[in-house]
């Protein structure tokens, strides 16, 4: 077949003239202070990640995809008439494009390997993306006129997170090619690369400013998850937003401001591991939320050409959706007692509270389906005896309430490492994210891992391993099981003691105080006898936490209420 006919066949196979996407429709004028924000959020049915857009007031968010598949990394076309994004449909990650109202969905790539993290070029003719089609994550561009995919980077280390320069001549991306996570810039034609950041701490998630003179990125060089801005002419750096909150996925506003995914607190008093998209100014520590809720968020992007889509009422959600005070839990309606774990092998007492056992079983099934491994078929520990006490464990542990489990510390199958852990800083505290290498490595399960992994034995960060992985922590959270922070006490610190790492520990509290949960599985006489103020203090419990445990002799804390705000974080 003559080669000149091949692009025509690609266009027909996609069912959409790609040249239409490149040239698109007449551009609307840019409107200062107006437009819409794109983002991905786990606000779909059953916690699925969908693509949303919201105006700058943030009062309402439009669900553009509303499907059961995980949708990620949305990027506006230059005229804001279309959105390109990544989605795992048909057991495979590929690139898709739709109109800005979610209609006219089309598939752009169809490859058995992972294709994701798309970024639309300023001229509208190409999409940069990350792909595993040559065995490890590399940067590619897709020609929207001819349909050809062209490899930009060639290196055995992982290259990911591409973003275009405003003139379309360069692509910034994250790479491990020098042994740690750095920001690089590649020439979009020659592929020549330079190391922009060159710092021993992890630097990632680049975003090019509209004027082309600066790149924003996330760095752990001064703590964890801080937003940095590098001037490409002078080399000077600024910070934006609060310190050490674990900010993620920065993007620029058309006017030179910044946005990023950030955690929020309620009433400015307590930190919660909840998220939203917040706006920041270079050099300023504060921020303002546009959208926020009790869900995960990712990949914000702003266009001042976008207009409000016309969608039915059921596709609209509150932009800032949360209750100032959580509704009281109907404790009387919850099942009582413990239930045996059945065929699950577990240290401690092999049982969980009857109220949470079904969610554990559902999580176990989902992990098997997603990874191909029965990771929860064996636990390091499930429940504990009500009077258990030692020198490192909390005397008021949720294990005693049957609402906590510890995964295996290490998991290997036929000698191959399956479990990997990656550090994440949130409000100055260290949390862990657990990943499982999938049993099938053909792209039909999981996705590439681009975050650093932690070598527990040698206490050091390593580049992400090649292959496909499932985010166990995200699966657990979808079933109500949440991680805890690593321990940082004078006598028990993760930096020196392995038991203080706590990456294996997950809890399900359901809005109950610890004592409420204990009363569901133990009788009052036993609890009153064991958990006296004298014994709790003797066991090393910290008095400032007594009210939040719900102990009957402790003064109840005042209700937490007020507007959402950014917690201050703390320096390391």
């Amino acid at each position: 077949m003559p080669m000149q006919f091949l692009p025509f066949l690609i266009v027909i196979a996609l069912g959409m003239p790609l040249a239409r996407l490149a040239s698109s429709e007449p551009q609307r004028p840019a409107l200062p202070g107006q437009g819409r924000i794109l983002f991905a959020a786990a606000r779909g049915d059953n916690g699925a990640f969908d693509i949303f857009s919201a105006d700058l007031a943030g009062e309402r968010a439009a669900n553009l995809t509303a499907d059961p598949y995980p949708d990620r990394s949305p990027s506006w076309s230059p005229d804001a008439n279309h959105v390109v994004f990544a989605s795992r449909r048909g057991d495979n990650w590929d690139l898709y494009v739709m109109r800005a109202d979610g209609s006219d969905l089309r598939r752009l790539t169809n490859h058995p390997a992972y294709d994701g993290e798309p970024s639309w070029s300023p001229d509208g003719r190409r999409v940069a993306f990350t792909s595993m089609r040559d065995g490890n994550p590399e940067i590619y561009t897709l020609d929207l006129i001819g349909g050809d995919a062209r490899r930009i980077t060639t290196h055995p280390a992982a290259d990911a997170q591409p973003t275009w320069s405003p003139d379309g001549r360069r692509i910034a991306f994250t790479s491990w090619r020098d042994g740690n996570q750095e920001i690089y810039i590649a020439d979009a034609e020659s592929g020549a690369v330079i190391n922009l950041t060159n710092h021993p701490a992890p630097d990632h998630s680049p975003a090019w400013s509209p004027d082309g003179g600066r790149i924003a990125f996330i760095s752990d060089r001064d703590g964890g998850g801080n937003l940095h801005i590098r001037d490409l002419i002078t080399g000077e750096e600024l910070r934006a937003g609060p310190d050490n909150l674990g900010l993620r996925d920065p993007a620029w506003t058309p006017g030179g401001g910044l946005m990023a995914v950030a955690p929020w607190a309620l009433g400015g008093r307590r930190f919660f591991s909840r998220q939203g998209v917040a706006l920041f100014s270079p050099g300023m520590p504060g921020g303002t939320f546009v959208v926020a809720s009790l869900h995960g968020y990712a990949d914000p992007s702003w266009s001042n050409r976008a207009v409000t889509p016309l969608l039915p009422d059921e596709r609209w959600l509150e932009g800032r959706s949360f209750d100032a005070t959580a509704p009281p839990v109907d404790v009387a309606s919850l099942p009582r007692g413990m239930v045996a774990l059945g065929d699950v092998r577990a240290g401690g007492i092999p049982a969980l509270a009857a109220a949470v056992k079904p969610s554990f079983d559902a999580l176990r099934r989902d992990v098997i389906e997603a990874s191909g491994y029965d990771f929860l078929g064996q636990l390091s520990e499930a429940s504990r005896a009500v009077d258990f006490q030692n020198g490192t464990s909390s005397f008021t542990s949720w294990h005693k309430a049957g609402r906590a489990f510890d995964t295996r510390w290490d998991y290997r199958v036929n000698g191959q490492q399956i479990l990997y852990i990656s550090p994440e800083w949130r409000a100055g505290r260290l949390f862990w994210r657990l990943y499982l290498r999938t049993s099938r490595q053909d792209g039909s399960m999981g996705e590439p891992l681009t975050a650093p992994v932690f070598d527990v034995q040698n206490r050091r960060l390593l580049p992400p391993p090649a292959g496909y992985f499932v985010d166990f922590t995200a699966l657990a959270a979808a079933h109500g099981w949440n991680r805890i922070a690593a321990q940082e006490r004078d006598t028990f610190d993760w930096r020196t003691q392995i038991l203080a790492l706590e990456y294996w520990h997950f809890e399900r509290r359901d809005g109950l105080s610890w004592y409420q949960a204990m009363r569901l599985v133990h009788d009052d006489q036993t609890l009153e006898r064991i958990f006296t103020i004298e014994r709790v203090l003797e066991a090393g419990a910290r008095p400032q936490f007594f009210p939040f445990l719900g102990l009957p002799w402790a003064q109840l804390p005042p209700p937490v209420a007020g507007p959402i705000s950014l917690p201050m974080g703390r320096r390391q």
Side-chain angles (χ1 to χ4, degrees):
M1 177 181 297
M3 289 299 292
Q4 62 264 31
F5 295 113
L6 185 56
F8 177 77
L9 292 180
I10 292 174
V11 169
I12 296 300
L14 287 167
M16 182 181 198
L18 295 184
R20 277 180 51 200
L21 295 180
S23 60
S24 197
E25 296 142 15
Q27 289 196 4
R28 289 184 291 270
L31 302 174
Q34 298 188 39
R36 295 187 70 78
I37 292 175
L38 272 177
F39 56 93
R43 298 186 63 176
D45 291 342
N46 299 315
F49 259 88
D50 285 334
I51 306 302
F52 291 80
S53 76
D55 62 22
L56 302 187
E59 294 180 357
R60 295 200 307 163
N63 190 333
L64 303 180
T65 50
D67 57 57
Y69 310 103
D71 303 323
R72 305 267 182 82
S73 307
S75 176
W76 289 110
S77 63
D79 58 14
N81 287 322
H82 291 87
V83 175
V84 65
F85 64 101
S87 183
R88 188 168 179 264
R89 302 165 188 241
D91 291 330
N92 195 60
W93 283 97
D94 276 302
L95 306 187
Y96 292 80
V97 66
M98 62 184 173
R99 291 189 177 274
D101 62 0
S103 66
D104 201 14
L105 177 70
R106 306 287 177 169
R107 189 172 186 167
L108 286 182
T109 63
N110 189 358
H111 196 282
Y114 169 89
D115 292 334
E117 301 181 325
S119 175
W120 213 311
S121 67
D123 64 5
R125 294 176 174 271
R126 292 172 291 177
V127 170
F129 65 103
T130 303
S131 180
M132 286 273 287
R133 56 184 66 193
D134 286 305
N136 71 300
E138 300 283 3
I139 308 302
Y140 286 73
T141 58
L142 177 67
D143 187 324
L144 293 178
I145 296 176
D148 297 325
R150 177 171 172 262
R151 184 169 174 174
I152 302 298
T153 63
T154 303
H155 198 278
D159 299 330
Q161 301 174 334
T163 180
W164 290 91
S165 63
D167 61 10
R169 297 170 56 188
R170 295 169 292 172
I171 298 173
F173 64 99
T174 302
S175 180
W176 286 87
R177 58 183 61 202
D178 287 332
N180 69 304
Q181 208 171 15
E182 302 281 8
I183 306 299
Y184 284 77
I185 296 176
D187 185 285
E189 295 302 325
S190 69
V193 301
I194 60 170
N195 186 333
L196 176 67
T197 49
N198 197 23
H199 194 279
D203 299 320
H204 56 91
S205 306
W208 220 304
S209 66
D211 63 9
R214 294 166 294 171
I215 287 181
F217 59 96
I218 301 298
S219 179
D220 292 347
R221 61 183 64 184
D222 296 319
N226 291 318
L227 181 52
H228 288 245
I229 305 161
R230 167 71 66 88
D231 188 302
L232 298 180
I233 304 299
T234 67
E236 295 179 353
E237 286 194 8
L238 289 176
R239 291 273 293 276
D243 294 333
N244 302 322
L245 289 188
L247 302 181
R248 295 188 298 106
D249 301 341
W252 290 85
T253 71
L258 285 157
M259 69 181 85
V261 174
W264 57 264
L266 193 59
R269 296 190 51 208
R270 293 182 61 195
F271 170 73
F272 294 81
S273 186
R274 308 304 187 190
Q275 296 179 350
V277 176
L279 301 177
F280 307 99
S281 296
M284 302 296 291
T288 303
F289 279 99
V290 179
V291 290
S293 65
L294 306 180
H295 307 86
Y297 284 75
D299 311 314
S301 174
W302 184 350
S303 172
N304 57 2
R305 300 182 187 275
V307 297
T308 303
L310 298 177
L311 292 172
D313 290 344
E314 61 268 19
R315 298 281 288 274
W316 290 93
L317 303 176
E318 292 182 55
R320 290 183 289 271
S321 175
F322 60 95
D323 294 323
T325 56
V329 180
D330 184 6
V331 179
S333 67
L334 297 177
R336 293 181 172 270
M338 295 276 199
V339 177
L341 284 174
D343 64 341
V344 176
R345 293 178 294 166
I349 300 173
L352 289 174
V356 301
K357 174 64 161 49
S359 67
F360 174 85
D361 292 339
L363 172 59
R364 183 186 178 191
R365 291 192 296 269
D366 280 0
V367 170
I368 294 173
E369 180 180 358
S371 70
Y373 295 115
D374 188 10
F375 177 55
L376 295 180
Q378 180 177 340
L379 302 175
S380 296
E381 187 175 16
S383 297
R384 290 177 185 166
V386 66
D387 58 350
F388 179 86
Q389 182 177 348
N390 66 13
T392 58
S393 300
S394 170
F395 188 56
T396 54
S397 168
W398 285 81
H399 281 290
K400 297 183 177 184
R403 286 176 166 267
F405 65 82
D406 292 348
T407 71
R408 306 179 222 201
W409 293 13
D410 183 44
Y411 184 42
R412 298 172 185 267
V413 175
N414 297 325
Q416 183 177 47
Q417 183 176 350
I418 304 299
L419 173 64
Y420 292 83
I421 66 171
S422 181
E424 292 185 341
W425 290 95
R426 295 288 183 267
R429 300 199 66 187
L430 176 62
F431 290 80
W432 303 97
R433 189 166 292 275
L434 275 58
Y435 294 94
L436 299 173
R437 183 179 177 88
T438 60
S439 61
R440 296 200 304 269
Q441 288 289 301
D442 57 2
S444 62
M445 304 175 81
E447 56 189 291
L449 179 57
T450 58
V453 296
F454 187 68
D455 179 352
V456 174
Q457 296 301 320
N458 297 301
R459 303 298 175 93
R460 59 174 181 165
L461 289 178
L462 298 175
Y468 292 87
F469 298 82
V470 166
D471 187 338
F472 172 81
T473 303
L475 286 175
H479 289 278
W481 293 92
N482 295 304
R483 58 189 176 174
I484 64 172
Q487 298 293 326
E488 294 185 66
R489 303 201 299 265
D490 291 341
T491 59
F492 192 50
D493 192 286
W494 66 270
R495 296 171 182 83
T496 56
Q497 295 169 279
I498 190 169
L499 289 178
L501 290 171
E502 295 279 19
Y503 63 81
W504 48 79
H505 185 86
F506 290 82
E507 300 175 351
R508 176 162 181 161
R509 301 188 180 187
D510 291 328
L512 299 171
S513 70
W514 175 80
Y515 202 77
Q516 284 178 313
M518 291 290 286
R519 294 187 66 196
L520 290 172
V521 294
H522 302 288
D523 64 85
D524 287 344
Q525 289 181 331
T526 299
L527 297 179
E528 291 168 3
R529 174 176 54 84
I530 295 175
F531 297 101
T532 63
I533 186 171
E534 294 80 12
R535 187 164 181 187
V536 172
L537 285 170
E538 179 186 346
R542 286 172 281 184
Q544 63 265 37
F545 295 123
F546 287 175
F548 303 106
L549 294 172
L551 292 161
W553 39 262
Q555 183 179 358
L556 293 176
V560 176
I564 57 176
S565 61
L566 282 165
M568 291 306 297
R570 54 193 173 100
R571 292 281 183 183
Q572 298 304 304

